[in-house]
Amino acid sequence: MSSPAFSLKKLHTFAIETRAEKIVYAETPQEILAAWRECHQRNLPFLLLGEGSNVLFLEAFSGVIVVNRIKGIAITESIDCWHLEVGAGENWHGLVTYTLQQNIAGLENLALIPGCVGSSPIQNIGAYGVEIKDICEWVEILELESGQIKRLTAAECQFGYRDSIFKHRLQHGYAIVSVGFSLPKQWQPVMSYGDLTKMDAATVTPQQIFDAVCHMRRSKLPDPALTGNAGSFFKNPVITAEQAASLLATFPAAPHYPQSNGDVKLAAGWLIDQCQLKGYRLGGAAVHQQQALVLINAEEASAADVVALAHEIRQRVGKKFNVWLEPEVRFIGADGEKNAVEVIS
């Protein structure tokens, strides 16, 4: 096989120079299916990509990358809710903006999260107290083997913290083609994080929450159009109550968020910051100066630079806090996704 010929630099937000054997832009489920069948016949790896905002290509991809560009937003209503049916290739922040323009609230806490709508249930994306699992009604998937489209309920998606069935049993052989959302007409603001806690629940509007979220994200996070990055690189670790009690006895200032099951979520950015790693650099990769949770392509970084930096961060945080960070970003090798924890361990 000839060396991969198509550049992926503009198809993922880390903007690291790497290549693929072939790139297909799919605007329909049928085009995704045709590309998959070609890979099947030629025995090539197949990868479905949205906007590449949560991936790190470790090396050249030796198969076909299908860029999902299935579009469309349909809105219906019931007595209590607005119901959205959204193509997987729609831009996520574009959807948030559009719904507010239609006077439909409920997505404002998730403003400025990069990526496509189809990627949102895979990660169960979340920010400022709201997650996809809170608003998702269903997910439609294309079963590549049969060519059939099936609809999964939110319960069948098995949502967890930055997790879903699409990272496990349905990781291979399926493509998300559309997502359904249910947004209550009786809007309840969620103001449990950051600057939102200072707002007045009695008078706040969805637009004000949207504006505040955008301000917080822009003040902390680098713009991928200017500085290559994949957003939050690590998951916020979730530990047992016993582990949390031990950690807080030594580090009482550590931000911590009790979960409904008794576990405690920690702030990965704070843990990294306590290791004095803001601005720390290895090769062309660096920890962002304003937000330690973000790793950036500071100057023509290679994937190896990012992996080495992630390894160093994991080791330092683990040594100091006995908490072992796991990447939120998906690691893609020559023939498909790799176990990110194993790669950086």
Side-chain angles (χ1 to χ4, degrees):
M1 184 190 299
S2 60
S3 60
F6 293 89
S7 174
L8 299 176
K9 188 169 185 177
K10 293 182 178 179
L11 290 179
H12 67 121
T13 57
F14 252 122
I16 293 171
E17 182 54 71
T18 189
R19 309 184 83 73
E21 178 73 16
K22 184 177 180 180
I23 298 170
V24 173
Y25 292 85
E27 297 181 2
T28 65
Q30 291 71 31
E31 290 175 339
I32 294 176
L33 192 58
W36 180 82
R37 284 174 173 162
E38 179 190 345
C39 288
H40 201 60
Q41 289 164 0
R42 297 176 57 195
N43 198 28
L44 291 174
F46 170 92
L47 180 70
L48 194 64
L49 199 64
E51 294 186 0
S53 60
N54 195 51
V55 296
L56 174 67
F57 286 98
L58 300 174
E59 55 196 325
F61 189 71
S62 60
V64 178
I65 288 184
V66 177
V67 182
N68 190 330
R69 289 295 178 261
I70 299 173
K71 298 297 182 72
I73 302 173
I75 300 172
T76 56
E77 60 178 301
S78 57
I79 294 174
D80 298 323
C81 293
W82 298 103
H83 302 277
L84 280 58
E85 182 171 339
V86 189
E90 289 283 352
N91 175 268
W92 176 261
H93 180 68
L95 173 66
V96 177
T97 305
Y98 177 77
T99 54
L100 282 180
Q101 290 170 347
Q102 305 302 309
N103 294 314
I104 297 174
L107 299 181
E108 56 282 342
N109 291 57
L110 303 176
L112 275 186
I113 294 178
C116 283
V117 168
S119 304
S120 64
I122 299 173
Q123 284 287 110
N124 182 24
I125 62 169
Y128 301 105
V130 176
E131 290 182 312
I132 284 295
K133 70 176 180 62
D134 304 322
I135 51 176
C136 181
E137 194 168 9
W138 49 261
V139 175
E140 277 191 343
I141 58 172
L142 170 65
E143 188 178 60
L144 298 170
E145 191 71 50
S146 68
Q148 293 182 327
I149 291 178
K150 299 180 178 181
R151 181 172 287 193
L152 303 180
T153 64
E156 288 173 322
C157 293
Q158 299 176 16
F159 291 123
Y161 173 60
R162 298 298 172 269
D163 199 24
S164 70
I165 195 171
F166 308 109
K167 284 188 164 187
H168 302 284
R169 189 169 66 80
L170 301 186
Q171 183 176 2
H172 303 292
Y174 299 87
I176 293 173
V177 294
S178 63
V179 184
F181 301 98
S182 180
L183 302 175
K185 292 180 178 178
Q186 194 70 36
W187 178 66
Q188 294 288 335
V190 178
M191 304 184 301
S192 49
Y193 286 84
D195 295 348
L196 303 182
T197 60
K198 303 167 189 172
M199 297 175 132
D200 183 354
T203 60
V204 73
T205 66
Q207 186 66 48
Q208 287 171 335
I209 289 182
F210 173 90
D211 291 341
V213 168
C214 288
H215 174 74
M216 286 188 286
R217 291 186 74 91
R218 286 184 173 126
S219 65
K220 292 180 183 177
L221 302 172
D223 182 349
L226 303 175
T227 305
N229 73 91
S232 299
F233 194 90
F234 295 100
K235 300 175 187 177
N236 287 318
V238 178
I239 61 177
T240 65
E242 291 76 19
Q243 288 173 301
S246 175
L247 186 143
L248 291 167
T250 309
F251 304 97
H256 57 287
Y257 308 95
Q259 305 296 291
S260 57
N261 64 354
D263 289 344
V264 178
K265 185 192 294 183
L266 304 177
W270 186 88
L271 299 173
I272 297 167
D273 193 17
Q274 296 306 299
C275 296
Q276 283 78 50
L277 285 167
K278 274 184 182 173
Y280 181 80
R281 183 165 168 169
L282 276 177
V287 179
H288 187 51
Q289 194 66 54
Q290 275 73 48
Q291 171 51 276
L293 196 51
V294 177
L295 307 191
I296 63 172
N297 178 355
E299 187 179 1
E300 297 183 7
S302 66
D305 293 340
V306 178
V307 169
L309 181 59
H311 169 81
E312 184 68 17
I313 292 166
R314 188 173 197 265
Q315 294 302 312
R316 291 206 196 180
V317 169
K319 187 174 180 180
K320 186 176 181 75
F321 296 102
N322 196 29
V323 173
W324 298 89
L325 299 179
E326 298 184 6
E328 184 174 317
V329 172
R330 298 170 62 202
F331 284 26
I332 309 296
D335 56 359
E337 187 161 356
K338 303 296 183 187
N339 184 310
V341 172
E342 290 179 2
V343 172
I344 69 167
S345 293

